[in-house]
Amino acid sequence: MPLLKRLLAWFQPDTSRPLTQAWLAALWMGLLANWPLWKQLQALPEISGARGALFIVAFAGMVTAASGALLSLLAWPRLIQGLLVVLLLASAALAHFIGSYGIVFDPTMVVNMLQTDARETRDLLSWRLLVSLVLLGALPAWWLLRRPRAPAQAFAKRLVGNLAACGLALVAMVLLALAVFADLSSTMRNYKTIRYMVTPLNAVYSVSSVALRRQAAPSGPPAVIGADARLLPRAEGAKSPLLLFVVGETARAMNFSLNGYARPTNPELAKLPVVSLRQVASCGTATAASLPCMFSPLGRTAFGDLKGTQENLLDVLQRAGLAVLWLDNQSGCKGLCDRVPNSPTSRLPEGAAPLPPGLCSKDEMGEEECFDESLLHELDKRIAALDPERVQRGLVLVMHQMGSHGPAYFKRSPADLKPFQPECKSNALQQCERQQVVNAYDNTLVTTDRLLARSIAWLQTQQARFDTGMLYVSDHGESLGENGLYLHGMPYAMAPAEQTHVPMVLWVPEGGGVAASLKPGCLQSLRDKPASHDNLFHTVMGWVGARADVYKPEWDLLASCRS
């Protein structure tokens, strides 16, 4: 009879015990919340037939055992239920986003998520997300919270039980790994993104990694760079520089018709004397990673190793004596513009006319979103509000676009600028035909094209006073369903070219001081030369005639063209 009772206990566990709750949650999350992972593994060509099915079963056992081992250590009465509710809801959300968009959840994605504003978050909300949260998260959490309180147990006895469960789980995980070691090592080596699809371990690792990194970062203001920043002397009668630096969002180079794309996504720029660089690599695959790196003198590799924070291009330009203004139509400048004049498009200078009707609209939550053309509104008044002495020396104006931010691409282009139809009018991209997704995305590029053309037209009105020019570059690219991937944010080493190959466009007007300093035809020779975000800091410094000890002429794209 005692033996029979023990056997029955395996099938009727005491669900009031924290350790039992931990393992039931580990089974639920390991097997059900990882459905995108099992779907991904099943689609791999190396994993097929009976052997492939055996590997997936063994891998599922390993995931469950690893989750159970971790949760066993945390299976304490006052801790486990609250922790499991959070993990269940997080796992349900991750299952939706990984399954819908093919993204992975790594530390970079955590940083990007923390810096996402309410407007961007709303674009990700859908009924499918709600269903996933309810079925995979809320229902098991509700069941869990209805369990009776666990009977009192001595601390030592509970600790021994938790450690024993953790140890057995680790042994089971090792045995399963050894049983399918050949397939496991090959899969993890060839498909490195899989490790960031294992829910909830991906969330635990990534959030912990970001928290530890921030804790270890030195406190205090950013480190000073370019303390010797200065302006080079200009010839008598030479005009002060006015550089418009447009920071694009989510534009990928391969969809720019200037770069050979078959569709006319750059109809207005094609009529202008611009130079499009076709081989430009981004610094990251998400705004939170790329934007700070773009404005750093270090380059992608050294910036990734940077401990703490340091000043950026805007600080150095301002220290050199130039006027700097950041205009934002996105989720902020990620701290880059904190020490220079900055403004969102919605905050107009004193005496400015209101934004024209149709340029902005309110969503269902009452929040206002404006098209990027609002960045050009009342620019003269914005410049007039800056320090006139600095403006007289020169001005660098940075415009941060909303650009092609997804997944609601259809919101990023006005009704009169949607040449590619039909377009996907949903944020659930996987539910649209892929061509509709591409149509909606390409319409955003046509919108950016018009912004850049009108920006050049405005710059031409300033040529009596300034030596003008424009530099446009996107922060990262975008996946549009290739290989089942949507959006962006993949770990850089594993990211497809769609997410790292970005457009860069230069406008250097003939007759200006910059054009006169360049060898004839040299700009055109830059079209197919490899470039990256590493070049931006130094190219801007060289363009406006600023110098500092951090300036590297070999990283200045225009240096080789100067006479």
Side-chain angles (χ1 to χ4, degrees), residues 50 124 173 216 348 511 513:
L124 295 169
M173 187 173 65
L348 297 173

Side-chain angles (χ1 to χ4, degrees), residues 128-312:
R128 290 170 64 93
L129 172 60
L130 179 61
V131 170
S132 183
L133 286 173
V134 170
L135 295 182
L136 292 178
L139 285 180
W142 174 78
W143 177 88
L144 182 69
L145 293 174
R146 289 174 57 86
R147 297 306 94 198
R149 183 179 297 274
Q153 189 176 25
F155 173 82
K157 187 175 182 181
R158 193 179 298 277
L159 177 63
V160 170
N162 290 357
L163 291 175
C166 176
L168 289 172
L170 293 176
V171 169
M173 187 173 65
V174 170
L175 291 176
L176 288 170
L178 291 174
V180 292
F181 183 76
D183 291 325
L184 177 64
S185 60
S186 174
T187 301
M188 299 306 288
R189 182 174 61 252
N190 296 329
Y191 303 97
K192 296 179 181 179
T193 56
I194 285 175
R195 68 192 67 183
Y196 294 115
M197 295 178 67
V198 179
T199 304
L201 298 178
N202 53 359
V204 173
Y205 166 77
S206 298
V207 171
S208 300
S209 176
V210 171
L212 291 173
R213 193 183 309 159
R214 292 194 173 187
Q215 185 68 26
S219 57
V224 174
I225 63 170
D228 63 333
R230 63 203 181 279
L231 294 176
L232 295 177
R234 282 193 288 271
E236 186 176 350
K239 297 174 184 175
S240 301
L242 166 53
L243 175 62
L244 175 58
F245 184 2
V246 183
V247 180
E249 170 65 37
T250 320
R252 62 188 210 175
M254 59 193 65
N255 285 52
F256 262 47
S257 57
L258 290 177
N259 297 335
Y261 188 53
R263 288 176 142 191
T265 52
N266 306 124
E268 296 195 40
L269 287 179
K271 303 173 187 175
L272 297 171
V274 298
V275 177
S276 178
L277 277 61
R278 301 173 179 176
Q279 304 296 330
V280 181
S282 69
C283 210
T285 61
T287 304
S290 274
L291 203 58
C293 182
M294 291 168 67
F295 284 75
S296 167
L298 298 177
R300 185 176 68 85
T301 303
F303 185 81
D305 297 330
L306 179 66
K307 307 297 182 185
T309 60
Q310 64 174 208
E311 292 179 343
N312 62 79

